Amino acid sequence: MSDSELLVTALAELARLMAADDTTGLLRHVIVSAAELLESTGAGVLRVSDGPEDGQPGAITASPVRLEALERSQFDAARGPALEAMRHGDSVAVTEIGKYLDVWPEYATAAAQHAVFSVASFPLRHCEVSIGALSIYSTERRDWALPDLSVGELLAQMTAGHLVTVERLREQQLLADQLQHALDARVVIEQAKGVIANARNIAPDAAYKLIRAHARRNRISVAAVATGIVELRLRI
């Protein structure tokens, strides 16, 4: 299979995983495909929960797994090619990691321990939002050619777009769930007010004050008291 056929196949599978909302499978596919397309030793994806300056690693995925330690060494020391790519939004291609011992001592040492000679890191960036980096590793000296960098950048851009979209959808769903929960609680409270108002022959506002006072005395929520009144026939 030619390089172009490999790329088309990898992108087609990437698109399928995006549609299936399989983030774990997608990241695994990205690193395996990146290593295969660029004929490298392995690859890794480092994601952050906040910004690259003060965030924490949200997830680290690498193939082979031993490269996860190399990815994590960058966060532990707050420096390395992946973090540079994230901070500046540009690819970082390093032919000989050992020459950066003074710049990234922890990372360069870890790379030597794992017999990694060269690395190319690509920012996972979407609409000015930086969420991590994709890194390609080689155990041999590698002069990263422009076509190699273009493939890495394409994979990183597609991956970042998917991850950002998934995160936004999850946030929207969480907000929708919170709003629905608040609405359901409001409905139950209104029902409870009616029950107490009818039982005591008082106004709904007065019934609500009794419910609220009971909740405060027992250190529980108004919604919990209302649920007890409506569903468990609690009377106050």
Side-chain angles (χ1 to χ4, degrees):
M1 187 179 293
S2 66
D3 290 345
S4 60
E5 290 174 327
L6 283 173
L7 179 58
V8 170
T9 300
L11 294 180
E13 179 62 12
L14 189 61
R16 186 191 69 79
L17 291 169
M18 287 179 177
D21 190 19
D22 182 4
T23 298
T24 301
L26 180 137
L27 291 178
R28 180 61 56 183
H29 172 70
V30 167
I31 61 177
V32 171
S33 296
E36 182 179 11
L37 287 167
L38 300 180
E39 299 180 345
S40 59
T41 301
V45 169
L46 186 152
R47 295 170 60 194
V48 292
S49 55
D50 295 304
E53 296 293 339
D54 55 3
Q56 294 298 316
I60 293 176
T61 306
S63 179
V65 177
R66 65 182 177 82
L67 293 179
E68 290 185 4
L70 186 54
E71 290 284 298
R72 189 170 297 278
S73 71
Q74 300 185 69
F75 250 97
D76 292 342
R79 53 189 173 187
L83 269 65
E84 288 296 319
M86 291 162 54
R87 287 171 179 145
H88 302 295
D90 294 318
S91 301
V92 176
V94 180
T95 298
E96 188 174 341
I97 300 174
K99 291 183 177 180
Y100 288 77
L101 186 60
D102 292 339
V103 181
W104 309 317
E106 300 84 1
Y107 178 80
T109 299
Q113 292 172 346
H114 290 84
V116 172
F117 200 92
S118 301
V119 62
S121 295
F122 310 92
L124 295 180
R125 194 174 183 86
H126 181 73
C127 296
E128 302 306 315
V129 178
S130 183
I131 59 173
L134 165 67
S135 295
I136 314 298
Y137 296 103
S138 175
T139 54
E140 299 177 353
R141 178 187 174 86
R142 183 74 174 266
D143 292 313
W144 302 97
L146 183 58
D148 295 336
L149 298 179
S150 296
V151 170
E153 289 171 356
L154 177 60
L155 290 173
Q157 289 170 4
M158 293 186 67
T159 302
H162 172 73
L163 294 176
V164 170
T165 298
V166 167
E167 184 61 29
R168 288 176 177 171
L169 289 175
R170 287 174 179 169
E171 291 175 353
Q172 291 175 0
Q173 185 59 54
L174 178 60
L175 178 59
D177 291 344
Q178 291 173 338
L179 291 174
Q180 185 61 52
H181 179 73
L183 177 60
D184 292 343
R186 186 74 258 172
V187 170
V188 173
I189 290 171
E190 290 300 319
Q191 292 174 339
K193 284 167 58 177
V195 170
I196 298 302
N198 182 65
R200 288 177 169 264
N201 194 28
I202 56 178
D205 287 347
Y208 178 73
K209 290 180 180 179
L210 289 175
I211 294 171
R212 185 175 60 187
H214 184 83
R216 287 177 176 174
R217 285 195 303 271
N218 291 276
R219 297 183 179 180
I220 57 177
S221 68
V222 170
V225 175
T227 299
I229 292 172
V230 173
E231 298 182 3
L232 304 177
R233 297 186 178 184
L234 171 68
R235 294 298 178 263
I236 58 176

